[in-house]
Amino acid sequence: MRPILMKGHERPLTFLKYNRDGDLLFSCAKDHTPTVWYADNGDRLGTYRGHNGAVWSCDVSRHSTRLITGSADQTAKLWDVKTGKELFTFRFDAPARSVDLAIGDHLAVITTDSFMGNMPTAQVKRIAEDLQEQTEESALVISGITGRINRAVWGPGNRTIITAGEDATIRIWDSETGKLLKESDKEVGHQKAISSLSKSLDWSHFLTGSLDKSAKLWDARTLTLIKTYVTERPVNAVDISPTLDHVVIGGGQDAMNVTMTDRRAGKFEAKFFHKILEEEIGGVKGHFGPINALAFNPDGRSFSSGGEDGYVRLHHFDPEYFNIKMLQLRDLPSTPERT
């Protein structure tokens, strides 16, 4: 599985996102300039220029017409995917970190960091079809969380918002009223900051990664812990395969702790686990720094990783990869037949 190396960013990667069709890959980095690539061959298609700070995350509309980005420059921006034109800017009193579009693309949830006395928030913005009607007004503001909110995403049917971050707690909120509905159990939940959160294709469950060197699979409605995947290094990025019972987990040392380490010493490897069995089934090395972003292509036939080294690595799976599931199941002890 030879990777395609994509060098278009001058600073560490922060986030990767495929469009629904899987033909475009969007990358965010600390260099202020979100970039779009062809997901098949890794050719750079274009950039989105206008931010003045690190870009922490992005999301793309269902039909790949609009892109939304969240940045340390205290704004979130809407872009025309095809032309790269900046369409609208949401301004905040603090850095904008996580962005996520709801089903239907008429709503977005955007988180802001604690900054200059402002507490972290998750804010819902209405996204107008007609830009002339677009406003900066928030339809809902969720507050009261201590510690940075690293991810906020929509739950099943847009009925809830799921947040996770520095305080190691996952919370589910009513997206209409902002009422707190559920919190993760501190006994079974993460013990250190949650760095990443990724939803399953059907939005029924989601995966979180934490600096406590684990990733956990949760039910999106009940917040029941389903599975735990244990690694030997802090987890910065996670994703769930859309086609197989696999999850991918990446990380490494914190950026501030990376000095003169080689790739192996830094544990800069994307590791694959069987989603049901919780067993490690393989790994992909290559990055010269911690892995900060991971994403499966929606067709399940490739994945991308983004690193502290400024590279995006695009991997098309070999045919052998699709047989891993069969081998795993074949090795399980057979269940005796009932008589």
Side-chain angles (χ1 to χ4, degrees):
M1 188 165 64
R2 293 187 64 183
I4 298 171
L5 263 63
M6 295 141 69
K7 181 63 173 172
H9 290 288
E10 299 168 358
R11 298 287 309 282
L13 270 290
T14 56
F15 200 78
L16 292 170
K17 179 74 179 184
Y18 284 93
N19 67 338
R20 184 170 173 269
D21 294 333
D23 60 338
L24 299 176
L25 174 65
F26 297 85
S27 60
C28 300
K30 293 182 180 179
D31 64 2
H32 311 179
T33 310
T35 300
V36 59
W37 316 76
Y38 282 118
D40 181 44
N41 59 16
D43 285 352
R44 183 162 61 169
L45 187 55
T47 55
Y48 301 89
R49 298 187 179 276
H51 279 301
N52 294 311
V55 181
W56 295 118
S57 65
C58 68
D59 200 5
V60 60
S61 63
R62 179 184 178 91
H63 298 294
S64 304
T65 55
R66 290 181 177 180
L67 178 74
I68 186 170
T69 53
S71 171
D73 67 8
Q74 303 186 18
T75 70
K77 291 180 184 288
L78 283 174
W79 311 82
D80 185 300
V81 167
K82 190 174 181 180
T83 65
K85 181 185 176 185
E86 185 181 320
L87 301 176
F88 192 82
T89 298
F90 299 100
R91 295 173 180 83
F92 301 95
D93 295 325
R97 186 162 296 268
S98 172
V99 295
D100 194 57
L101 290 168
I103 296 172
D105 300 324
H106 297 304
L107 296 168
V109 60
I110 304 167
T111 70
T112 62
D113 294 350
S114 56
F115 183 73
M116 300 287 285
N118 294 307
M119 295 297 287
T121 65
Q123 303 189 26
V124 174
K125 302 286 188 181
R126 290 190 177 89
I127 308 297
E129 289 266 353
D130 184 352
L131 283 171
Q132 302 298 321
E133 300 172 4
Q134 186 65 58
T135 70
E136 293 190 56
E137 184 181 347
S138 292
L140 178 71
V141 177
I142 295 170
S143 57
I145 300 173
T146 57
R148 189 173 68 213
I149 307 168
N150 285 326
R151 285 296 283 154
V153 299
W154 295 90
N158 295 347
R159 288 187 293 273
T160 57
I161 292 169
I162 304 165
T163 62
E166 280 189 335
D167 67 357
T169 303
I170 301 162
R171 295 177 176 86
I172 297 181
W173 311 80
D174 186 299
S175 61
E176 288 281 338
T177 65
K179 180 184 176 184
L180 178 61
L181 302 176
K182 291 183 174 66
E183 278 191 4
S184 57
D185 188 313
K186 286 181 169 54
E187 291 297 316
V188 300
H190 288 293
Q191 302 305 307
K192 290 185 179 179
I194 297 168
S195 57
S196 50
L197 187 156
S198 181
K199 293 179 286 193
S200 64
L201 193 63
D202 63 1
W203 294 32
S204 66
H205 53 285
F206 63 92
L207 183 66
T208 53
S210 168
L211 303 186
D212 67 7
K213 304 180 182 179
S214 75
K216 292 177 181 286
L217 194 69
W218 307 83
D219 185 290
R221 286 186 171 85
T222 65
L223 203 48
T224 304
L225 178 64
I226 303 170
K227 300 288 179 181
T228 297
Y229 315 95
V230 179
T231 72
E232 70 279 1
R233 78 271 195 224
V235 177
N236 300 335
V238 296
D239 203 12
I240 302 170
S241 170
T243 54
L244 299 179
D245 283 329
H246 296 169
V247 300
V248 63
I249 297 167
Q253 297 159 305
D254 293 334
M256 66 183 72
N257 297 326
V258 177
T259 52
M260 299 299 290
T261 55
D262 64 17
R263 281 176 289 176
R264 191 172 185 82
K267 310 287 185 189
F268 308 134
E269 181 179 22
K271 291 201 170 185
F272 290 79
F273 284 77
H274 195 286
K275 186 164 73 172
I276 311 303
L277 306 177
E278 299 173 298
E279 293 176 3
E280 186 179 329
I281 54 177
V284 179
K285 295 186 175 74
H287 281 288
F288 285 89
I291 295 171
N292 297 336
L294 287 167
F296 274 103
N297 190 302
D299 67 9
R301 306 191 71 82
S302 61
F303 86 102
S304 294
S305 57
E308 191 76 16
D309 56 11
Y311 280 94
V312 179
R313 298 173 71 91
L314 171 62
H315 307 262
H316 290 279
F317 292 118
D318 293 332
E320 291 80 10
Y321 167 78
F322 300 97
N323 297 323
I324 291 175
K325 183 176 71 166
M326 299 304 296
L327 292 170
Q328 286 282 339
L329 296 177
R330 203 177 296 147
D331 291 342
L332 289 174
S334 57
T335 305
E337 291 182 7
R338 292 182 180 178
T339 53

